[in-house]
Amino acid sequence: MKTTISEVSKYVGEEVTLGAWLSNKRSSGKIAFLQLRDGTGFMQGIVVKAEIGEDKFQDAKALTQESSLYVTGVIVEDTRSPLGYEMQVKDFEVIHEAVDYPITPKEHGPEFLMDHRHLWLRSKRQHAVMKVRNEIIRSTYEFFNDNGYVKIDPPILTGSSAEGTTELFHTKYFDEDAYLSQSGQLYMEAAAMAFGRVFSFGPTFRAEKSKTRRHLIEFWMIEPEMAFMDHEDSLQVQEQYVSHVVQSVLKNCKIELDALGRDTEKLEKIQAPFPRISYDDAIQLLKDKGFDDIEWGEDFGAPHETAIAESYDKPVFITNYPAEIKAFYMKPDPERPEVVLCADLIAPEGYGEIIGGSQRIDDLELMQQRYEEHDLTGDAYKWYLQLREYGSVPHSGFGLGLERTVAWISGVEHVRETIPFPRLLNRLYP
Ligand code: 4AD
């Protein structure tokens, strides 16, 4: 019977065969412990000389790291291992012998590991991070599908910029200029007017010259957009969505969170509603904490966000930023037009901003005024104005950065470990 490590619980006491790689091994004179991985999980195989015979035992002892094997044996319960099972190996066959695998169990520096990302992905920790990432994606689709949203795919090659013109990747589109998408938002607004509630999930690109633990050049965003929903409605969707994702990871990624050494008590607290603080009050809070470098009208940097988040054990919304430091499409607060109806959601424990969102301007004249102020001329933006011309409605949306969310939930320091093949300021390979 051929099976996978993820399925072994169904075969206790039975003999099965696994296709696997040897991730590590140790042995004594009479017994060898093979650390097996097959992509679905990690499991120990025990080879006993007295049972398998002298020749096969010597073969087991000679197995090299990352060689591929078919391993046959009996599944037994083992309460000490994270999986809860191990295999008493009866036989094995080497498929391919790996010689001098570069990533050894000793410590390697991050640059070496990043150079070997194509192999590093096999390690237990990286495997756990990618499984958490996968669960976040799965529970994202679940949340939006269960709440009546339609998945819409915005284009990646675009003629206009959504967030600002400085961080765009430029390319030729036959004889025209084109840019890689920074955000699908403008298209999602069009989609919301056609389908009501929509969400997208796709790669976005920013030519940011930032070399921080929170910045990628290529990252994945989840962008919901909702017709007939105001800023407050959107904040409620955001806190419910993020709570759903965190609770799903807690439920379905126990082995992975354990492998990562994540403090799950902190994650258990992540339940809606989330606290909110206005930009004005956040400025005051920072001044009270001794930050003299920040004035009203300036954007927050990572140390500011971390200092604000420290006051809470859940993600916190910072609301109503000055219009001047936010995007052209955000709706001004009717009571105080110098601030906009927007919020950034800051993750706890110093992981920084995971969501940016806002209510959008729905008034045609005001949007035309913004176009002039921001010098948004040309055909690329004309269609976006038309959304305000024909049956304009209040609408809101937001973008959640997947990699920062994976970093926070996994408890991983740097976003480079939260995407399979990171694109960084100094890295396009592998
Ligand atoms: O705040 P941002 O720029 O918002 C938008 O792009 C809106 N158009 C989204 C919308 O309303 N539909 O980016 C949203 C999120 C950030 O909160 C952050 O999590 C992530 O995208 N993000 C990055 N993640 C990794 N590397 C980068 N360089 C990122 N820039 C933004």
Side-chain angles (χ1 to χ4, degrees), residues 81-124:
S81 79
L83 183 72
Y85 304 92
E86 61 183 21
M87 179 191 263
Q88 290 170 345
V89 178
K90 301 290 170 209
D91 196 11
F92 61 88
E93 174 198 332
V94 175
I95 304 167
H96 182 250
E97 187 184 358
V99 180
D100 295 337
Y101 185 68
I103 305 179
T104 57
K106 70 166 195 199
E107 288 273 309
H108 296 284
E111 283 307 307
F112 178 86
L113 291 170
M114 291 304 300
D115 285 344
H116 293 86
R117 183 64 175 166
H118 49 294
L119 302 176
W120 190 26
L121 276 176
R122 303 178 182 194
S123 78
K124 202 172 208 169

Side-chain angles (χ1 to χ4, degrees), residues 49 66 92 111 269 282 288 293 303 337 345 353 357 374 402 424:
K49 184 157 100 175
E66 285 306 315
F92 61 88
E111 283 307 307
K269 293 194 186 124
D288 293 346
D293 62 329
L345 184 65
E353 182 202 314
H374 290 260
L402 178 62
L424 300 162

Side-chain angles (χ1 to χ4, degrees), residues 92 149 396:
F92 61 88
Y149 287 67
S396 303

Side-chain angles (χ1 to χ4, degrees), residues 162-163 167 182-186 188 204 206 208 210 214-225 326-327 329-330 343-345 352-358 360 396-405 415:
E163 289 302 307
E167 296 161 359
Q182 287 173 307
S183 157
Q185 183 197 319
L186 308 190
M188 297 310 286
T204 49
R206 295 196 187 176
E208 285 179 275
S210 306
R214 296 177 184 174
H215 285 89
L216 291 163
I217 303 300
E218 179 179 307
F219 65 97
W220 287 63
M221 233 201 299
I222 290 122
E223 294 190 272
E225 193 72 32
K326 287 291 179 185
Y329 50 71
M330 293 188 183
D344 287 350
L345 184 65
E353 182 202 314
I354 53 169
I355 293 185
S358 64
R360 323 304 192 186
S396 303
F398 62 92
L400 173 133
L402 178 62
E403 289 75 16
R404 290 190 192 173
T405 307
V415 288

Side-chain angles (χ1 to χ4, degrees), residues 49-327:
K49 184 157 100 175
E51 286 173 20
I52 208 162
E54 176 69 31
D55 288 355
K56 204 75 193 180
F57 186 71
Q58 291 311 325
D59 290 350
K61 280 179 79 168
L63 286 173
T64 52
Q65 190 190 352
E66 285 306 315
S67 287
S68 47
L69 323 159
Y70 286 118
V71 196
T72 301
V74 176
I75 303 301
V76 291
E77 282 189 60
D78 168 35
T79 48
R80 289 157 306 168
S81 79
L83 183 72
Y85 304 92
E86 61 183 21
M87 179 191 263
Q88 290 170 345
V89 178
K90 301 290 170 209
D91 196 11
F92 61 88
E93 174 198 332
V94 175
I95 304 167
H96 182 250
E97 187 184 358
V99 180
D100 295 337
Y101 185 68
I103 305 179
T104 57
K106 70 166 195 199
E107 288 273 309
H108 296 284
E111 283 307 307
F112 178 86
L113 291 170
M114 291 304 300
D115 285 344
H116 293 86
R117 183 64 175 166
H118 49 294
L119 302 176
W120 190 26
L121 276 176
R122 303 178 182 194
S123 78
K124 202 172 208 169
R125 181 180 154 87
Q126 299 307 311
H127 186 267
V129 176
M130 288 308 132
K131 291 291 285 278
V132 169
R133 180 184 168 104
N134 183 61
E135 177 58 22
I136 295 173
I137 296 168
R138 192 204 63 76
S139 57
T140 291
Y141 277 78
E142 180 176 74
F143 180 86
F144 290 110
N145 285 328
D146 287 354
N147 285 286
Y149 287 67
V150 178
K151 166 102 191 316
I152 293 286
D153 306 313
I156 288 171
L157 284 169
T158 65
S160 58
S161 108
E163 289 302 307
T165 45
T166 52
E167 296 161 359
L168 288 168
F169 274 102
H170 176 244
T171 182
K172 287 311 280 180
Y173 191 76
F174 306 106
D175 294 334
E176 285 181 71
D177 289 313
Y179 307 94
L180 297 184
S181 177
Q182 287 173 307
S183 157
Q185 183 197 319
L186 308 190
Y187 300 94
M188 297 310 286
E189 287 185 56
M193 300 305 138
F195 299 90
R197 294 179 191 182
V198 292
F199 75 107
S200 67
F201 173 53
T204 49
F205 307 86
R206 295 196 187 176
E208 285 179 275
K209 295 245 158 77
S210 306
K211 210 174 161 185
T212 79
R213 66 186 187 92
R214 296 177 184 174
H215 285 89
L216 291 163
I217 303 300
E218 179 179 307
F219 65 97
W220 287 63
M221 233 201 299
I222 290 122
E223 294 190 272
E225 193 72 32
M226 299 86 70
F228 309 107
M229 281 209 195
D230 64 16
H231 179 49
E232 173 56 35
D233 297 330
S234 174
L235 295 187
Q236 288 178 23
V237 174
Q238 293 173 48
E239 61 197 7
Q240 283 159 13
Y241 163 48
V242 171
S243 303
H244 177 74
V245 162
V246 172
Q247 296 309 315
S248 298
V249 172
L250 274 169
K251 186 166 160 240
N252 298 323
C253 295
K254 288 198 173 74
I255 291 176
E256 289 77 13
L257 293 174
D258 186 46
L260 291 162
R262 184 68 171 102
D263 180 348
T264 49
E265 266 174 37
K266 290 199 168 118
L267 296 180
E268 273 152 22
K269 293 194 186 124
I270 310 303
Q271 305 267 12
F274 294 165
R276 291 146 199 221
I277 181 172
S278 70
Y279 172 88
D280 295 355
D281 290 346
I283 291 278
Q284 191 53 52
L285 178 83
L286 289 171
K287 289 202 182 289
D288 293 346
K289 287 195 171 202
F291 283 88
D292 302 323
D293 62 329
I294 185 107
E295 291 301 329
W296 199 95
E298 290 169 4
D299 209 354
F300 298 134
H304 303 121
E305 287 176 358
T306 301
I308 296 164
E310 266 170 15
S311 307
Y312 309 92
D313 54 8
K314 290 185 192 185
V316 54
F317 288 112
I318 307 178
T319 66
N320 299 38
Y321 282 71
E324 265 176 55
I325 53 171
K326 287 291 179 185

